[in-house]
């Protein structure tokens, strides 16, 4: 980010019109997809999603123990006696940090508005989301992905503020460059934690400005906004600026260690990234299983 640049300069509101719901996904062109497809040379595939064991919704003294805030809860349904088939009810909390999920642009408002400047009262109603929802992801996402490993073989220090210099250094190590329309995948080597004695690293406004200047189409990583914030002046730059102002969809809670291992083994840090979320309309986020294909 340049010395003269500030948070108000980092905006894509109006860039693709007042009715736009795709945000930076507009940057994924046919040429971008062609570059992505050229990376799929061996067919090797790596998932970026965390495995989830649903917690039982059963209660009582004989119920199995469950985590305090499970991302997925499950109730089994027996259809007949003896059962003719098995079914279930799943309760999914899309924005739970333990679940790999794709944030819709409406997820974070700014000053009573959501991307690209629509009043929140117009975009969201008691019956659902009318603008900037997961409806925009109906066709899925297929683009050229790049992994930037910020801590090869280890992890970033606690509370490390990730800057543009960190991203530049990771590009040089990997021999790769993030181009317009690319999805940026970042590895910091961390599991989500709210431990105040061991605070997570986090993106800075400087790093988000770097993503804006590179025209990143989508962000995924094992680190995002720091908890607690690495910069109290801008506590959630990836969400408040990247998602809400730039219109850049975010994949929170990605699992990227295996991807980093495969990239290091193959000696290449670019791949075809495919994301096919369920066609769940009018929601603020949706679980996803991103696939990196080499």
């Amino acid at each position: 980010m340049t010395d003269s640049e500030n948070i108000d300069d980092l905006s894509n509101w109006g860039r693709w019109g007042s009715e736009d719901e795709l945000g930076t996904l507009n940057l994924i062109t046919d040429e971008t997809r062609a570059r992505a497809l050229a990376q799929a040379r061996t067919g090797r595939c790596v998932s970026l999603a965390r495995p989830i064991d649903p917690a039982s919704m059963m209660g009582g003294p004989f119920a199995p123990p469950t985590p305090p805030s499970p991302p997925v809860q499950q109730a089994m349904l027996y259809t007949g006696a003896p059962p003719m088939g098995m079914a279930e009810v799943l309760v999914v909390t899309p924005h739970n940090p333990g679940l790999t999920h794709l944030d819709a642009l409406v997820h974070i408002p700014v000053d009573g508005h959501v991307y690209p400047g629509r009043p929140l009262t117009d975009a969201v109603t008691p019956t659902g989301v009318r603008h900037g929802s997961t409806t925009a992801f109906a066709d899925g996402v297929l683009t050229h992905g790049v992994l930037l490993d910020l801590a090869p073989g280890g992890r970033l220090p606690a509370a490390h503020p990730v800057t543009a210099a960190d991203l530049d250094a990771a590009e040089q190590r990997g021999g790769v460059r993030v181009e317009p329309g690319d999805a940026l995948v970042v590895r910091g080597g961390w599991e989500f934690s709210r431990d105040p004695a061991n605070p997570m690293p986090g993106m800075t406004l400087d790093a988000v400005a770097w993503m804006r200047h590179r025209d990143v189409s989508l962000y995924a990583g094992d680190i995002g906004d720091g908890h607690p914030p690495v910069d109290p002046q801008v506590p959630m730059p990836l969400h408040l600026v990247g998602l809400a102002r730039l219109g850049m969809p975010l994949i929170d809670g990605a699992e990227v260690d295996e991807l980093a291992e495969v990239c290091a083994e193959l000696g290449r840090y670019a791949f075809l990234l495919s994301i096919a979320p369920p066609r769940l309309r009018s929601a603020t986020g949706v679980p996803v299983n991103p696939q990196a294909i080499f």
Side-chain angles (χ1 to χ4, degrees):
M1 189 167 68
T2 63
D3 292 339
S4 61
E5 197 169 39
N6 58 48
I7 192 170
D8 294 325
D9 298 321
L10 299 174
S11 174
N12 282 327
W13 289 14
R15 183 177 181 182
W16 295 287
S18 61
E19 301 299 314
D20 181 55
E21 297 186 74
L22 290 176
T24 53
L25 297 184
N26 283 292
L27 297 165
I28 303 174
T29 64
D30 290 343
E31 290 76 16
T32 307
R33 296 186 186 95
R35 285 195 299 116
L37 290 169
Q39 293 292 344
R41 302 197 290 267
T42 68
R44 189 166 179 179
C45 185
V46 180
S47 171
L48 276 64
R50 294 182 178 182
I52 300 294
D53 293 319
S56 174
M57 295 174 65
M58 290 177 57
F62 302 105
T66 60
S69 181
V72 180
Q73 295 174 285
Q74 179 185 54
M76 296 301 301
L77 304 177
Y78 289 80
T79 56
M84 298 179 62
M86 305 303 297
E88 62 194 341
V89 172
L90 291 176
V91 178
V92 180
T93 305
H95 298 290
N96 188 300
L99 177 69
T100 305
H101 61 273
L102 179 59
D103 285 343
L105 302 187
V106 75
H107 178 44
I108 301 293
V110 174
D111 298 329
H113 293 74
V114 298
Y115 175 90
R118 293 285 289 269
L120 182 61
T121 52
D122 177 49
V124 181
T125 73
T127 58
V129 181
R130 299 194 300 191
H131 179 86
S133 76
T134 53
T135 303
F137 305 142
D139 293 334
V141 179
L142 188 148
T143 192
H144 186 268
V146 172
L147 171 71
L148 297 186
D149 192 344
L150 305 184
R155 71 174 192 170
L156 290 172
H160 177 79
V162 178
T163 66
D166 291 310
L167 301 176
D168 285 335
E171 275 190 326
Q172 294 176 4
R173 282 194 301 270
V176 71
R177 180 176 174 84
V178 176
E179 301 288 352
D182 284 357
L184 172 62
V185 183
V186 169
R187 178 190 172 276
W190 279 74
E191 291 283 343
F192 181 82
S193 170
R194 293 192 185 275
D195 181 3
N198 196 31
M200 292 185 66
M203 290 292 165
T204 63
L205 188 61
D206 183 56
V208 175
W210 185 96
M211 298 176 204
R212 167 65 178 85
H213 294 311
R214 293 298 187 92
D215 268 339
V216 169
S217 63
L218 178 143
Y219 175 87
D222 61 359
I223 58 171
D225 288 319
H227 299 280
V230 295
D231 179 3
Q233 299 299 316
V234 187
M236 296 173 58
L238 201 55
H239 282 78
L240 285 174
V241 180
L243 181 69
R245 294 176 182 267
L246 300 184
M248 181 176 65
L250 307 177
I251 296 180
D252 281 336
E255 171 56 65
V256 296
D257 280 349
E258 183 182 358
L259 175 64
E261 292 171 2
V262 172
C263 286
E265 174 191 338
L266 299 179
R268 57 188 180 107
Y269 288 78
F271 41 86
L272 167 65
L273 184 67
S274 176
I275 307 164
R279 283 194 161 187
L280 178 63
R281 301 168 64 89
S282 302
T284 64
V286 64
V288 289
N289 182 9
Q291 304 288 315
I293 305 167
F294 292 88

